[in-house]
Amino acid sequence: MGKIIAARQDGLCSRLGAILNAMYLAKKTQKDFYYFWPDSEEQMKKWEENKTQNNFRSIECDNEKNIFSKDFIESFSMGASFQNPGMPYGLKQHHSVFKTTLEELIVKDEDIYISHIPCFNYINDIDKKDYYENMKNLWQQIDFHPRIKNIINKARKIAKQLDNFTAIHIRIADVALNELYKNTGFFVYKFSPLELVFEIIRQKTKDGKIVLFSDDLDGAKVLQRYCFAKKIENIFVVDEFIDNNIQDENDRAFFEIALMSFAEKVYTGDSNFSKFASRVGLGEEATYISQVFSNQQRYDLIIANSDNNLILKPLQEAYKYLYLYTRGRLIKKPWNELENIAFKALGLDPANSLYKICILECFLRQKHYEKAEVFLADICRNDFANFIKDLLNPMMIFKDSFFEILSQVHVEYNKLHLLYLFTLKNDKKLLGAPSRIKNHLAYRLGQIAVTNSKTIGGYFRLPFNLIKEYKQYNQEQKNYQMMIKLNPTLALPKLQDYDDYQEAVKIKKYFSYRLGEAIIQANNTWYGGGYIKLWFEICRLKNIITKN
């Protein structure tokens, strides 16, 4: 008979949540429960450098021997050799689309791997009330290390002294500063702008005491001082209740989880830390900031509560502007207003490609193509390789919408068009051969010749326009060669490799393309009467087109 196995390798509460879920499903299916406790993910280890420099909380997990009792480990642990071939993530399906039933799980012979996501999201016949009651009970059944048990008891005593209190978890560090997230905006919805948290505090103070929890200790204290300045009292930071015996991050994490679990209500931006505490303490989900305020309200409150005394570190402030930008997009704020917000973000985090993409998006939406060309030219000169890397990252939140608006830019804006070609190159389905062909010198010269031949004035301007196009094309080619010399991976594929290559072949038969070829040939053989031969060639092409 297969086992029910908790399998997570990220944060503490994701792992603990998976353990409780696995214990719950083992109970429901009469299978055996086990868990993995691997080393922390690489990106979590890298966070340690940021943590030390900025007084942030650690997100690494301690060894299981410092968390669980010896008996618990010997009975249920499968060690650190992490595997996750099962559901709901091993099948590479998100829990929102993957569904099963308890009956199906009962008859499965293979091992079943479980994450921290509440089981009723993907198991149809699980009762929510029963699930949450079990979360509270199973939390009490985990046999922790004696030191952890002692810490949980300390938190219980503090909670009794506080009496009724509200817990607010402020997530303002890792999502805003972790390199994996901040340049793509992937977890922007998890960020907790202090301006919104302050509004919750202002509304809740009549209900009793409030304790602030955060992954940024300095940030929580900034908010507390701001509340005091506004004559709002009974605001505490969790540090005030931590004694000298709680020294390492593991002890502190369990103290905070336990204390939060004793709260009357838990608010969260979106953090497994606070969501887990609410499930095991209150037997319900934490209240999201997004549930309290609409997008319009969030946008307005951040603007209304902006204050120089409510300021975080520069990169966090920049991310707050990203949060504001995303809310503004959703409520359809004018693009010039969003442009100003994006420039504020970039001013605080000048190396961040995400904010550059926001600015380019604003320019393009307003049809300020010349501004976009100049802005992109600066990116090309200074940090094009990183810009492309971030733009093409699967986690980039504006990737699809940016590509869509970029595809509408006319070929005459060569840097924007070249960027569009790069994005096409990186599509799973390789498309864009017709666009590549239309960027050929022959097609561009032919188009100019056809357009200028419609008026007498156009005939007179034709030589100058052709020369101008020649020069522009040559400069584009120099720029392209420079880019692929700096980064060979940016080289465009062969035209024959595109899925829509046959569409491109048809364009080569257009009159404008063949006329352009004739112009190039005439220019290359001017000393041998090339321009005289050109007129005969034009007549020949017109006859062919007429017959066809």
Side-chain angles (χ1 to χ4, degrees):
M1 180 184 288
K3 302 180 286 294
I4 304 287
I5 303 172
R8 291 292 288 192
Q9 64 178 136
D10 48 349
L12 175 63
C13 286
S14 292
R15 297 179 187 221
L16 292 175
I19 284 176
L20 291 190
N21 280 345
M23 291 171 71
Y24 174 71
L25 289 177
K27 177 181 173 183
K28 290 291 181 183
T29 60
Q30 299 298 303
K31 294 177 184 285
D32 292 330
F33 150 72
Y34 289 91
Y35 71 89
F36 280 111
W37 200 268
D39 289 338
S40 293
E41 295 174 329
E42 196 59 35
Q43 59 99 358
M44 298 177 76
K45 293 177 180 178
K46 288 180 179 178
W47 176 251
E48 292 304 295
E49 299 173 15
N50 252 330
K51 181 206 82 169
T52 305
Q53 294 168 5
N54 297 285
N55 199 27
F56 295 146
R57 293 294 309 282
S58 174
I59 54 178
E60 273 201 284
C61 275
D62 203 347
N63 191 287
E64 62 180 328
K65 67 182 177 61
N66 296 322
I67 295 175
F68 305 108
S69 72
K70 185 178 179 182
D71 287 345
F72 189 85
I73 293 170
E74 289 177 353
S75 299
F76 306 116
S77 176
M78 298 185 73
S81 56
F82 180 70
Q83 301 174 48
N84 187 6
M87 71 170 205
Y89 292 131
L91 296 174
K92 305 301 180 188
Q93 291 175 298
H94 190 268
H95 67 86
S96 63
V97 295
F98 175 68
K99 297 291 183 184
T100 188
T101 64
L102 276 175
E103 187 178 355
E104 288 175 354
L105 298 186
I106 290 169
V107 299
K108 275 183 179 289
D109 289 329
E110 65 266 31
D111 292 341
I112 300 168
Y113 293 77
I114 299 300
S115 82
H116 64 301
I117 302 295
C119 299
F120 55 78
N121 281 288
Y122 55 91
I123 303 175
N124 288 332
D125 45 355
I126 284 184
D127 178 71
K128 276 189 181 184
K129 185 177 179 182
D130 177 70
Y131 172 80
Y132 283 122
E133 281 301 316
N134 271 276
M135 290 300 102
K136 293 167 64 177
N137 295 332
L138 291 169
W139 170 243
Q140 305 300 323
Q141 294 174 27
I142 294 180
D143 191 11
F144 286 113
H145 188 284
R147 182 175 177 82
I148 300 300
K149 290 179 182 177
N150 184 46
I151 288 169
I152 292 173
N153 284 329
K154 284 183 180 180
R156 182 180 287 108
K157 291 177 183 177
I158 296 294
K160 284 183 179 178
Q161 293 171 15
L162 282 167
D163 198 12
N164 295 336
F165 73 96
T166 297
I168 303 180
H169 186 270
I170 311 167
R171 190 171 186 177
I172 48 178
D174 69 317
V175 291
L177 298 167
N178 191 320
E179 287 294 332
L180 184 64
Y181 309 143
K182 84 178 187 77
N183 286 12
T184 62
F186 191 71
F187 286 133
V188 65
Y189 62 91
K190 296 189 175 192
F191 188 70
S192 308
L194 295 188
E195 291 83 357
L196 299 184
V197 180
F198 171 72
E199 186 63 22
I200 291 174
I201 291 171
R202 195 180 63 79
Q203 295 177 10
K204 290 291 296 181
T205 47
K206 62 180 182 297
D207 298 333
K209 303 179 184 72
I210 292 174
V211 180
L212 302 177
F213 301 77
S214 182
D215 52 1
D216 177 4
L217 307 178
D218 294 338
K221 290 173 183 176
V222 165
L223 180 57
Q224 184 190 42
R225 288 193 297 269
Y226 185 74
C227 290
F228 290 163
K230 296 290 183 179
K231 308 300 181 186
I232 299 175
E233 300 179 350
N234 284 331
I235 309 298
F236 303 90
V237 174
V238 68
D239 296 47
E240 298 173 45
F241 308 110
I242 295 178
D243 63 35
N244 294 331
N245 293 321
I246 299 176
Q247 296 178 349
D248 66 27
E249 285 285 352
N250 186 55
D251 290 357
R252 182 191 174 97
F254 272 96
F255 178 82
E256 292 195 18
I257 293 167
L259 183 59
M260 208 182 306
S261 74
F262 296 123
E264 291 292 311
K265 192 172 186 62
V266 178
Y267 286 91
T268 181
D270 188 342
S271 162
N272 286 321
F273 199 83
S274 45
K275 289 191 289 187
F276 177 81
S278 183
R279 288 168 193 159
V280 301
L282 299 175
E284 64 183 32
E285 290 299 307
T287 301
Y288 289 76
I289 290 175
S290 57
Q291 292 174 294
V292 180
F293 306 118
S294 67
N295 284 319
Q296 181 70 56
Q297 288 172 322
R298 280 180 265 174
Y299 188 91
D300 293 341
L301 283 169
I302 291 173
I303 300 295
N305 289 339
S306 292
D307 190 297
N308 289 333
N309 295 311
L310 204 60
I311 300 294
L312 294 168
K313 298 175 180 77
L315 297 187
Q316 292 165 290
E317 281 297 298
Y319 206 75
K320 179 190 75 178
Y321 284 116
L322 174 69
Y323 187 96
L324 187 64
Y325 183 91
T326 56
R327 299 314 97 190
R329 281 174 100 254
L330 290 170
I331 60 176
K332 302 189 184 307
K333 282 289 181 179
W335 287 103
N336 63 331
E337 190 172 327
L338 296 177
E339 179 189 324
N340 291 333
I341 294 169
F343 267 112
K344 287 179 181 178
L346 186 64
L348 292 162
D349 188 4
N352 197 325
S353 301
L354 177 59
Y355 306 139
K356 296 173 185 177
I357 291 166
C358 291
I359 290 168
L360 280 172
E361 177 185 40
C362 291
F363 284 155
L364 296 178
R365 295 288 182 186
Q366 296 174 84
K367 302 190 186 306
H368 295 165
Y369 300 123
E370 293 294 344
K371 282 186 178 180
E373 274 282 284
V374 172
F375 191 73
L376 183 56
D378 184 66
I379 294 172
C380 292
R381 283 192 299 270
N382 295 302
D383 200 22
F384 188 68
N386 281 326
F387 178 81
I388 286 290
K389 175 176 68 70
D390 292 333
L391 176 61
L392 298 177
N393 190 313
M395 296 173 75
M396 170 55 66
I397 59 172
F398 299 130
K399 182 178 177 182
D400 292 341
S401 61
F402 183 72
F403 289 175
E404 180 186 356
I405 190 65
L406 193 63
S407 70
Q408 299 169 24
V409 178
H410 194 273
V411 67
E412 69 180 278
Y413 300 101
N414 63 85
K415 290 180 179 61
L416 292 167
H417 186 67
L418 186 59
L419 180 61
Y420 172 61
L421 294 178
F422 279 135
T423 61
L424 285 173
K425 173 194 170 183
N426 285 273
D427 251 357
K428 288 181 180 178
K429 187 177 182 181
L430 193 58
L431 301 173
S435 184
R436 287 275 304 275
I437 287 290
K438 289 180 179 180
N439 199 42
H440 281 187
L441 181 60
Y443 183 84
R444 289 161 63 168
L445 293 178
Q447 283 288 96
I448 288 172
V450 169
T451 302
N452 280 261
S453 65
K454 293 177 181 179
T455 64
I456 295 175
Y459 269 113
F460 285 109
R461 290 191 297 271
L462 179 57
F464 303 102
N465 289 338
L466 291 174
I467 292 170
K468 180 181 177 182
E469 192 66 20
Y470 257 111
K471 289 181 177 179
Q472 183 171 317
Y473 179 82
N474 288 334
Q475 185 58 50
E476 289 173 23
Q477 293 305 300
K478 288 179 182 178
N479 291 342
Y480 174 65
Q481 293 302 323
M482 178 189 70
M483 287 180 202
I484 61 174
K485 186 176 181 180
L486 291 171
N487 188 350
T489 62
L490 297 178
L492 295 168
K494 295 177 181 178
L495 277 169
Q496 294 88 332
D497 294 339
Y498 284 82
D499 291 274
D500 53 358
Y501 173 65
Q502 292 305 318
E503 294 299 314
V505 172
K506 294 177 184 177
I507 295 173
K508 280 194 170 186
K509 297 177 182 178
Y510 288 2
F511 173 74
S512 55
Y513 192 98
R514 296 169 75 172
L515 174 58
E517 288 181 315
I519 293 171
I520 294 170
Q521 179 66 19
N523 187 61
N524 292 338
T525 58
W526 63 270
Y527 51 84
Y531 290 117
I532 296 173
K533 294 176 183 177
L534 173 62
W535 298 110
F536 291 103
E537 180 64 13
I538 292 172
C539 291
R540 188 183 73 82
L541 290 173
K542 283 184 176 179
N543 287 333
I544 293 173
I545 296 297
T546 302
K547 289 177 182 178
N548 290 339

